[in-house]
DNA sequence: TGCCATGTTAAACT
DNA sequence: GAGTTTAACATGGC
């Protein structure tokens, strides 16, 4: 569920509830549920992997983490996993096993909206600037940095690096400018491809390297390795993805 | 059945 | 204090 495109799809599905009044609130999230009671769900926003339910002066931040899920109108999981349920006149929304936090409205102003790769607010120049400031950082870690590429997750990371022919352990500062441009461009482009494939339930079949065994380009065995400071799985082809480090 | 994974945060370390 | 590593959390698929 959890990469940026999936959150965007969730937002789309919840959009019909925007403008409606919250009739009742329940769930085991450790927040003051009663603050939401009777409030209007005035707006739904998203930034990367985070969803924001703006309820007049209070903002509910939902993050699905690794295992979170949601449902609309019908409760599909146990009480134990139900973190938050908002009931409206014409239906309900349910969030399970996710992080739920309350913030005031001003909190939204502190967020890096320009980092959201799927948003109209996306500023590639800003991403480039942040990348240029990185010292000794591997591209695999840079792509997962939510302050630079909000919404990019491990799948997108692996697929983007294969598309642009860059080894995940490459050092950002060693990338030629052309590659850096491509990296920034594909982080957004692949996220949109992910979004469309996910919407059509054909995402997995489009994975070229993620969880795959052989390189679709040259047929050699792909490498699977936990890379970078994030220690996340990387799938890559040592033939088709060039390593840029201080030695070459 | 045990392992592992589309993620993040906080505690525990050097 | 900084930068880092580890632990914790929790569910479903293979």
């Amino acid at each position: 569920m959890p990469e940026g495109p999936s959150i965007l799809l969730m937002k789309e599905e919840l959009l019909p509830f925007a403008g409606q009044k919250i009739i009742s609130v329940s769930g085991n999230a450790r927040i003051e549920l009663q603050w939401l009671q009777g409030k209007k769900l005035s707006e739904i926003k998203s930034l990367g992997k985070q969803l924001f339910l703006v309820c007049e002066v209070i903002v509910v931040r939902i993050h699905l983490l690794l295992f979170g899920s949601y449902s609309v109108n019908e409760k599909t999981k146990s009480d134990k996993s139900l973190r938050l349920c908002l009931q409206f006149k014409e239906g309900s929304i349910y969030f399970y096993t996710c992080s739920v936090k309350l913030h005031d409205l001003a909190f939204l102003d502190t967020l890096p909206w320009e980092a959201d790769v799927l948003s109209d607010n996306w500023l590639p120049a800003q991403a480039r600037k942040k990348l240029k400031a990185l010292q000794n950082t591997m591209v695999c870690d840079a792509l997962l940095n939510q302050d630079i590429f909000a919404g990019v997750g491990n799948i997108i990371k692996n697929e983007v690096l294969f598309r642009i022919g860059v080894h995940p352990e490459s050092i950002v500062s060693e990338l030629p400018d052309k590659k850096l441009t491509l990296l920034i461009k594909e982080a957004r482009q692949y996220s949109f491809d992910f979004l469309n494939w996910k919407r059509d339930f054909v995402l997995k079949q489009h994975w070229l390297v993620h969880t795959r065994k052989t390189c679709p380009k040259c047929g050699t065995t792909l490498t699977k390795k936990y890379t970078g400071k994030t220690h996340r799985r990387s799938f890559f082809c040592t033939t088709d993805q060039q390593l840029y480090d201080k030695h070459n």
Side-chain angles (χ1 to χ4, degrees), chain A residues 106-146:
Chain A
F107 171 73
L108 294 177
D109 297 329
T110 69
L111 303 174
W113 298 94
E114 78 289 346
D116 188 339
V117 294
L118 285 169
S119 154
D120 291 341
N121 302 313
W122 168 245
L123 286 182
Q126 196 62 31
R128 172 178 286 267
K129 197 174 159 188
K130 288 173 184 169
L131 288 168
K132 287 282 189 188
L134 295 178
Q135 302 289 327
N136 224 295
T137 301
M138 290 182 178
V139 280
C140 57
D141 290 334
L143 269 170
L144 292 174
N145 184 331
Q146 298 300 296

Side-chain angles (χ1 to χ4, degrees), chain A residues 31-48:
Chain A
I31 58 165
E32 304 291 327
L33 294 177
Q34 72 275 11
W35 286 5
L36 301 174
Q37 181 77 45
K39 293 269 191 315
K40 185 174 85 174
L41 172 56
S42 32
E43 198 181 354
I44 304 177
K45 301 167 80 75
S46 65
L47 200 188

Side-chain angles (χ1 to χ4, degrees), chain A residues 57-202:
Chain A
V57 295
I58 299 176
V59 180
V60 185
R61 173 191 181 270
I62 305 277
H63 197 302
L64 297 184
L65 301 171
L66 208 46
F67 311 123
S69 61
Y70 71 101
S71 64
V72 175
N73 294 336
E74 207 174 341
K75 181 161 158 284
T76 57
K77 309 251 170 175
S78 67
D79 279 344
K80 193 181 160 208
S81 64
L82 182 61
R83 298 289 175 268
L84 181 68
C85 169
L86 300 179
Q87 289 187 272
F88 304 89
K89 201 173 174 181
E90 296 170 25
S92 325
I93 54 189
Y94 303 84
F95 297 99
Y96 314 94
T97 47
C98 56
S99 159
V100 181
K101 285 180 182 169
L102 293 185
H103 294 276
D104 54 35
L105 264 183
F107 171 73
L108 294 177
D109 297 329
T110 69
L111 303 174
W113 298 94
E114 78 289 346
D116 188 339
V117 294
L118 285 169
S119 154
D120 291 341
N121 302 313
W122 168 245
L123 286 182
Q126 196 62 31
R128 172 178 286 267
K129 197 174 159 188
K130 288 173 184 169
L131 288 168
K132 287 282 189 188
L134 295 178
Q135 302 289 327
N136 224 295
T137 301
M138 290 182 178
V139 280
C140 57
D141 290 334
L143 269 170
L144 292 174
N145 184 331
Q146 298 300 296
D147 191 49
I148 304 175
F149 297 109
V152 169
N154 205 38
I155 298 172
I156 296 175
K157 176 198 82 179
N158 283 323
E159 296 295 319
V160 164
L161 290 175
F162 179 71
R163 273 193 178 181
I164 67 173
V166 171
H167 191 294
E169 292 175 311
S170 297
I171 302 300
V172 175
S173 55
E174 299 296 325
L175 287 181
D177 266 354
K178 259 188 176 174
K179 284 289 185 191
L180 197 66
T181 303
L182 217 51
L183 175 75
I184 295 166
K185 193 179 164 65
E186 278 300 336
R188 177 170 166 90
Q189 182 56 52
Y190 188 84
S191 295
F192 277 108
D193 291 343
F194 184 123
L195 174 68
N196 291 321
W197 290 329
K198 176 96 185 171
R199 188 183 270 128
D200 296 337
F201 307 103
V202 294

